[in-house]
Amino acid sequence: MGVDLSDIVEDCSKEISLNNIKGKKVAIDAYNAIYQFLAAIRQADGTPLMDKQGRSTSHLSGIFYRTINLVENGIIPIYVFDGKPPEEKTQEIQRRIKIKEEAEEKYNQAKEQGEIKSMKKYAQMSSRLTNNIATESKELLINMGIPIVNAPSEGEAEAAYLSQKDYAWASASQDYDSLLFGARRLIRNLTMTGKRKLPNKDQYVDIVPEIIEFDSLLHKLGITREQLIDIGILIGTDYNPEGIKGIGPKTALKIIKKYGDIEKAIGKEIDEKEILFDYKQIRQLFLNPKVIDPKTSLELKEPDEEKIKRILIDCHDFSEERVVNAVGRLQKAIKSSKNLERQTGLDRWF
DNA sequence: CGACTACA
DNA sequence: TGTAGTCGG
């Protein structure tokens, strides 16, 4: 689940109103978003939304409606899809597969005992983002007129690159990895709806979008990007999920600030024998990830209403009324988004 | 998760 | 007009 920087980042994380993102392009980590939909859009017993053929449609519902909401709010989403993960991620990918298999097992047990709550919990944990789900999601987005980018490798890295090169104003993900990849801004909780249920509790909390600005984060912590990466490596990243035993975010920050980098802390607060990974190589994965330059500006396009209807209504049994209504909202929203862009573009000349 | 409905 | 509850696929 990426690098857990929450403890050292939270002081720098500021609430942001959707109004402040109006007219801006946001590179969305598509896998992160789709995974949330797959996990969350389910019935009480954990059954996902399905068409008549029993194929899951949770991802389509989630992408469709959330994207329209974003565009209605003047935000221009750019969905960034993962490519081939680096070799170094293999171990973490295997670990995740194992967790899902175990969750499936527990789901079956809960099902036998008719424990609805557990069924949902383990169904959520075992949700998988298949190639087919990614392909279907891309097809829907393209027909909605939403720009997508196929990352050559890590989506988070590509999203960070897009923000560095000004193809996007910010990147959006629940994970902090794009900060290690150098994203200029990271938006978390990029969603409209406020109240969310706390896991396992009958309590509700307000979920609001928040932003972390890369430069102010580094300034506030008094470190460089290289040092932030070293901190991440000590805590544990997708390339070394185990991190270093006994070192959490707070300790990692303290160590790196005191010694400067991992090398200089070895033999002091870090026992060399505890480093069971090639930290220099992992550093390079974050500093020089494989990315592509899209070369062309990423813009909204006119949606293809007929194609969207064919996908959602004909193929996946969505309600015609709902889809037609939503497509109408989307068309209108894209038009005003174009107007907004034209106006702010003109403003620069006056 | 987000749309939509029911109800104060 | 706001929100708790349920449905969607």
Side-chain angles (χ1 to χ4, degrees):
Chain A
M1 290 287 97
V3 58
D4 184 15
L5 294 174
S6 51
D7 279 352
I8 57 173
V9 158
E10 61 185 8
D11 287 344
C12 202
S13 179
K14 290 191 296 241
E15 278 187 26
I16 183 168
S17 143
L18 292 171
N19 268 331
N20 296 330
I21 320 177
K22 206 176 276 286
K24 297 193 160 59
K25 292 175 182 168
V26 177
I28 299 176
D29 180 5
Y31 273 55
N32 193 274
I34 294 170
Y35 191 82
Q36 287 178 63
F37 296 139
L38 292 177
I41 306 181
R42 288 168 185 273
Q43 293 172 270
D45 66 356
T47 313
L49 296 190
M50 288 183 300
D51 60 23
K52 282 174 188 154
Q53 294 185 54
R55 298 171 299 195
S56 171
T57 54
S58 297
H59 57 296
L60 298 175
S61 178
I63 286 192
F64 185 55
Y65 293 115
R66 178 180 291 179
T67 304
I68 291 171
N69 279 326
L70 292 174
V71 180
E72 273 187 325
N73 278 278
I75 298 165
I76 301 154
I78 300 165
Y79 281 87
V80 182
F81 286 82
D82 278 358
K84 188 181 181 301
E87 204 65 42
E88 289 81 353
K89 203 172 179 174
T90 310
Q91 191 194 348
E92 169 64 8
I93 292 169
Q94 290 305 317
R95 192 184 68 87
R96 288 181 195 176
I97 290 172
K98 200 173 152 212
I99 289 172
K100 287 183 196 303
E101 283 168 351
E102 285 164 5
E104 248 159 57
E105 190 62 38
K106 286 182 179 165
Y107 169 78
N108 289 329
Q109 286 171 22
K111 192 176 178 182
E112 273 172 39
Q113 288 155 27
E115 289 172 15
I116 307 289
K117 280 258 167 67
S118 301
M119 282 170 72
K120 180 161 187 181
K121 177 178 164 190
Y122 293 118
Q124 286 177 316
M125 283 176 68
S126 60
S127 38
R128 278 176 225 232
L129 209 168
T130 61
N131 269 343
N132 187 49
I133 286 175
T135 306
E136 286 179 354
S137 303
K138 287 181 197 179
E139 197 196 358
L140 177 62
L141 285 166
I142 289 167
N143 286 296
M144 289 172 72
I146 308 298
I148 69 165
V149 172
N150 288 308
S153 187
E154 298 277 38
E156 295 262 14
E158 183 68 29
Y161 178 81
L162 294 178
S163 89
Q164 286 172 353
K165 296 286 174 187
D166 235 19
Y167 285 104
W169 181 76
S171 82
S173 174
Q174 292 306 101
D175 292 346
Y176 294 102
D177 299 43
S178 70
L179 290 173
L180 299 196
F181 287 117
R184 297 193 17 234
R185 299 178 185 83
L186 170 63
I187 300 175
R188 304 184 72 240
N189 304 333
L190 183 60
T191 164
M192 271 50 58
T193 50
K195 288 215 183 302
R196 273 296 87 94
K197 204 172 165 296
L198 236 47
N200 302 324
K201 285 277 184 187
D202 281 331
Q203 249 181 335
Y204 287 81
V205 283
D206 270 328
I207 301 291
V208 287
E210 47 190 60
I211 187 162
I212 297 149
E213 307 227 15
F214 188 67
D215 288 343
S216 44
L217 175 70
L218 294 188
H219 183 78
K220 178 140 190 174
L221 297 177
I223 57 174
T224 64
R225 174 170 167 210
E226 284 77 2
Q227 290 177 315
L228 184 67
I229 292 170
D230 272 12
I231 289 167
I233 293 171
L234 293 179
I235 302 167
T237 72
D238 285 350
Y239 312 129
N240 65 320
E242 67 283 11
I244 292 195
K245 205 169 55 184
I247 298 185
K250 292 272 169 62
T251 313
L253 174 63
K254 209 181 72 194
I255 291 174
I256 294 302
K257 283 194 78 164
K258 185 168 172 188
Y259 297 98
D261 58 27
I262 292 177
E263 281 87 342
K264 297 197 196 77
I266 289 173
K268 312 281 194 350
E269 317 223 3
I270 301 171
D271 182 350
E272 191 158 18
K273 289 189 210 69
E274 298 281 351
I275 305 179
L276 308 169
F277 43 82
D278 186 343
Y279 66 89
K280 291 182 183 175
Q281 194 178 342
I282 295 171
R283 253 184 211 155
Q284 285 313 306
L285 289 173
F286 285 113
L287 278 172
N288 300 304
K290 193 192 269 184
V291 291
I292 53 151
D293 190 322
K295 291 287 197 264
T296 169
S297 168
L298 305 159
E299 306 293 343
L300 294 171
K301 289 194 328 198
E302 185 82 1
D304 185 336
E305 176 164 15
E306 287 315 306
K307 200 72 186 298
I308 295 171
K309 284 179 172 173
R310 212 167 305 149
I311 295 170
L312 294 180
I313 302 169
D314 301 342
C315 292
H316 296 292
D317 308 312
F318 277 58
S319 141
E320 174 161 12
E321 194 189 329
R322 284 189 180 205
V323 170
V324 169
N325 177 43
V327 171
R329 283 169 54 201
L330 177 64
Q331 288 167 330
K332 198 178 155 203
I334 289 186
K335 280 203 182 77
S336 36
S337 183
K338 292 278 180 201
N339 282 336
L340 185 73
E341 192 177 51
R342 197 167 43 76
Q343 280 174 21
T344 48
L346 277 177
D347 281 348
R348 286 190 211 130
W349 295 98
F350 296 104

